[in-house]
Amino acid sequence: MDIITHILNSDFNSANQSQNTLKFVRLTEYLKNIIEQYQLLEGAYLPSTRNLSEYLSVSRSTVIKAYELLIIEGFVEAKKGSGYKILPRQEKNITAKDKVNPQVKYPKISKSGVSFQHNVHLINTTSDKYIAFRPGLPPLDIFPVNQWKKLSNLYWRNIKASSLTYSNSSGIKNLKKNIANYLYLMRGIKCDYEQIIIVSGSLQSLYLLGTALLDRGNAVIMENPTFPNVHSIFRSLEADINAFPLDSEGICLPESNEAFKPKIIHVTPSNHYPTGVKMTKKRKQEVIDWAKQNESIIIENDYDHEISNWGLKDPTIFEMDNDNRTVYLGTFNRLLHPSIRLGYMIVPYYLLDVITALQKHSHRFVSPYNQIVMSQFIEKNYLFNHIKNVIEVADERKELFTRLINNNIHESFKLNDSATRSLHLLASVPPSFNDKELVDELTQHQLIAHQYSKCFINDEQNGLILGYSAVRKHLMTKKIMEMVRTYNDFAQKHL
């Protein structure tokens, strides 16, 4: 009866008395309007046709016709023996801007705010509904949920009320110590635990570093191609972006120039994103020497960690740098799962105070609960064992993914099977293809890929970046064949 009361309290009859439109059409439009405005909740049932006709003083056939139109247009469904149920609404592409009242005067958005708003399109944001073939996802189905749950239950069982207060902005000491020990064992990195800053992920690290170091117009060096998210951060901070290409040894830096003193050099040396090029030890030393000569800070983004370095004795730039001018970025979001929102960075001592101050002015601290459970996860060797499983499963899925693609897809599609282990593969497509159109076409078939062209700051190329490790083997064939059909149809239209 709540819906009837709502209709009776409305102006349905008075608003439509002067209209000559058929009553069932007016009723249909009225019900659609209040459903779209969420005044009638999805899952609720409309009044029976008999009850509504009596309360509105219209014929029952008028109500029946209105309900039938609502069924045809996808607003309700008829449930046998129950009545007419309101269906979930289709998401509408309504932006915040559409909801702003143009008659109200507000203060002007800051130049910084406008800059971030203008560049947000650079960030890779794809649908969160689909997994195949989203890059950067580990095998989510093998995450040891029970181990994490056990540690979580232990945390809440022993928690004291005094522990529910504020926490250290840079992170909990035990976690930082365990990360420092783990990095020494796995990557040969020696650092004091005080140098480690706990963050929610690499994007936050870059935002903090950029804010701490960059004034408008300061020069930044980046690889070309590179992470679109990194490009978005530095461009939004109004830095002077300087992109340099790679060869088989890594980034090719320019000759030193007194007029060109970049503050930051951002690189992905252990596994360049997205090509998989591994920077040689010789080139790493050249980057260190170049940064020293130009008084620059190096950001070493080691986004794939042990996945691309398992069993290798390849020194990091951080470990080779004797001047302590390198920031090392790490994240558990790629090793465990993105929803954990937990990462870290090792920073030079001279940056510690400013980074901590920025944290105190923004997010204050990362959840102590997550930090303590993660610390135990490392301490009990769960992390090490999980990464071994991730590598084993990812390698199996990569083999299946590669074989199915190569055996079935149009010859214009070429997988670049880099020797570097990663959680994604790069595919080249004909230069005449628009990879944005191709990505959009795949999305229509519930398949996710990232544009290769979006990784370029200049001289862009078309292609696809595809993740494979999060797709279970029993689903891989189905998803690959759907991708093959979609791509082959696209190729037929554009070649």
Side-chain angles (χ1 to χ4, degrees):
M1 286 301 191
D2 287 341
I3 293 178
I4 291 180
T5 303
H6 180 89
I7 295 172
L8 285 173
N9 290 335
S10 73
D11 57 353
F12 169 72
N13 281 315
S14 60
N16 291 285
Q17 282 176 352
S18 62
Q19 297 181 18
N20 294 321
T21 313
L22 293 173
K23 285 185 179 181
F24 78 88
V25 175
R26 299 206 312 265
L27 179 57
T28 303
E29 291 302 314
Y30 178 78
L31 290 172
K32 280 168 53 178
N33 183 52
I34 58 177
I35 289 173
E36 286 179 329
Q37 292 179 16
Y38 293 86
Q39 295 177 33
L40 300 181
L41 298 178
E42 60 186 57
Y45 283 87
L46 292 174
S48 70
T49 55
R50 187 180 305 280
N51 284 342
L52 188 57
S53 66
E54 290 176 0
Y55 276 92
L56 294 180
S57 299
V58 296
S59 68
R60 190 179 175 200
S61 63
T62 295
V63 179
I64 291 172
K65 287 180 181 178
Y67 282 11
E68 287 175 346
L69 280 176
L70 290 174
I71 292 172
I72 292 171
E73 296 188 39
F75 285 88
V76 301
E77 64 176 344
K79 303 286 285 185
K80 189 174 182 180
S82 299
Y84 296 86
K85 184 180 180 181
I86 299 173
L87 292 170
R89 264 76 76 208
Q90 292 288 331
E91 292 288 338
K92 288 192 172 183
N93 190 23
I94 298 176
T95 65
K97 189 176 180 180
D98 296 326
K99 297 184 178 182
V100 174
N101 186 344
Q103 305 302 319
V104 178
K105 300 299 181 183
Y106 298 103
K108 191 175 181 180
I109 301 295
S110 71
K111 289 182 179 179
S112 176
V114 169
S115 181
F116 277 95
Q117 185 180 4
H118 177 72
N119 292 299
V120 73
H121 71 280
L122 294 172
I123 292 181
N124 274 331
T125 51
T126 48
S127 171
D128 58 2
K129 297 179 182 178
Y130 315 124
I131 288 178
F133 295 99
R134 185 170 184 155
L137 288 179
L140 303 175
D141 54 300
I142 68 167
F143 177 73
V145 173
N146 288 334
Q147 290 177 351
W148 190 270
K149 188 187 297 184
K150 180 181 176 182
L151 296 175
S152 177
N153 291 339
L154 189 65
Y155 169 84
W156 289 114
R157 192 179 304 133
N158 298 322
I159 193 71
K160 297 178 181 178
S162 59
S163 300
L164 299 176
T165 184
Y166 291 90
S167 184
N168 191 302
S169 292
S170 68
I172 290 172
K173 184 186 293 187
N174 281 350
L175 175 59
K176 297 201 286 185
K177 284 184 174 181
N178 281 328
I179 289 173
N181 291 335
Y182 182 83
L183 288 174
Y184 176 67
L185 291 172
M186 296 303 298
R187 301 285 282 121
I189 292 174
K190 298 175 186 176
C191 70
D192 294 332
Y193 76 87
E194 291 98 337
Q195 289 180 266
I196 294 178
I197 302 286
I198 304 300
V199 293
S200 65
S202 299
L203 203 59
Q204 186 187 15
S205 293
L206 292 163
Y207 180 82
L208 290 169
L209 290 165
T211 304
L213 289 167
L214 297 173
D215 291 313
R216 183 179 183 183
N218 286 159
V220 171
I221 283 180
M222 298 172 66
E223 298 156 322
N224 192 46
T226 193
F227 276 110
N229 297 6
V230 179
H231 182 200
S232 177
I233 285 284
F234 292 142
R235 187 164 295 284
S236 297
L237 290 168
E238 300 185 88
D240 174 21
I241 307 294
N242 296 268
F244 293 98
L246 289 82
D247 60 18
S248 60
E249 294 191 76
I251 190 171
C252 302
L253 290 172
E255 295 292 330
S256 292
N257 182 339
E258 283 299 319
F260 180 57
K261 296 284 185 181
K263 277 194 171 180
I264 291 174
I265 305 170
H266 178 277
V267 288
T268 52
S270 64
N271 179 18
H272 170 259
Y273 185 88
T275 67
V277 170
K278 252 190 182 324
M279 192 181 290
T280 62
K281 185 176 179 180
K282 174 176 174 289
R283 184 62 55 84
K284 289 176 183 177
Q285 189 59 56
E286 290 173 4
V287 171
I288 293 168
D289 294 341
W290 198 97
K292 179 177 181 179
Q293 185 175 350
N294 292 277
E295 301 177 1
S296 306
I297 286 292
I298 303 167
I299 298 179
E300 180 177 17
N301 195 337
D302 199 6
Y303 68 95
D304 257 349
H305 304 284
E306 294 79 76
I307 291 172
S308 57
N309 292 283
W310 190 261
L312 301 178
K313 301 298 181 183
D314 191 20
T316 61
I317 290 178
F318 183 92
E319 186 58 24
M320 293 171 62
D321 175 19
N322 294 322
D323 273 5
N324 197 27
R325 64 173 64 253
T326 301
V327 180
Y328 180 90
L329 302 190
T331 177
F332 296 114
N333 301 330
R334 280 180 176 261
L335 295 177
L336 303 180
H337 54 87
S339 66
I340 196 170
R341 303 321 306 154
L342 201 59
Y344 58 90
M345 57 177 164
I346 314 173
V347 302
Y349 288 104
Y350 98 101
L351 281 174
L352 276 175
D353 288 345
V354 65
I355 294 295
T356 303
L358 286 168
Q359 285 184 301
K360 287 179 178 179
H361 280 89
S362 54
H363 74 289
R364 291 296 291 268
F365 53 84
V366 173
S367 165
Y369 153 69
N370 259 2
Q371 291 191 62
I372 290 172
V373 174
M374 188 70 232
S375 182
Q376 289 292 302
F377 196 77
I378 297 171
E379 203 169 291
K380 293 182 180 296
N381 220 32
Y382 294 160
L383 178 63
F384 177 83
N385 291 330
H386 177 58
I387 293 173
K388 282 201 303 182
N389 291 336
V390 166
I391 291 171
E392 181 181 342
V393 170
D395 284 350
E396 289 177 358
R397 293 178 183 181
K398 178 182 177 182
E399 189 279 328
L400 178 60
F401 177 90
T402 303
R403 175 161 47 84
L404 289 171
I405 285 287
N406 289 337
N407 289 346
N408 292 283
I409 208 160
H410 190 274
E411 61 183 8
S412 63
F413 186 98
K414 304 291 184 184
L415 280 179
N416 174 23
D417 192 3
S418 167
T420 304
R421 180 188 284 114
S422 186
L423 295 179
H424 71 265
L425 286 170
L426 177 62
S428 61
V429 298
S432 60
F433 284 15
N434 182 318
D435 58 8
K436 183 182 185 307
E437 291 180 2
L438 180 52
V439 165
D440 290 343
E441 187 69 27
L442 290 169
T443 303
Q444 294 298 315
H445 292 81
Q446 300 182 6
L447 299 167
I448 299 297
H450 287 171
Q451 299 168 233
Y452 185 37
S453 63
K454 203 173 180 180
C455 298
F456 286 85
I457 298 166
N458 50 50
D459 302 323
E460 67 183 41
Q461 300 174 31
N462 286 309
L464 296 179
I465 305 167
L466 297 157
Y468 52 84
S469 65
V471 185
R472 301 185 190 201
K473 290 180 73 174
H474 71 276
L475 287 175
M476 185 75 79
T477 301
K478 177 184 176 183
K479 292 296 183 181
I480 287 290
M481 296 316 295
E482 182 64 34
M483 180 178 161
V484 166
R485 285 191 292 271
T486 305
Y487 179 83
N488 290 353
D489 289 345
F490 186 91
Q492 190 173 15
K493 294 175 185 175
H494 292 83
L495 284 177

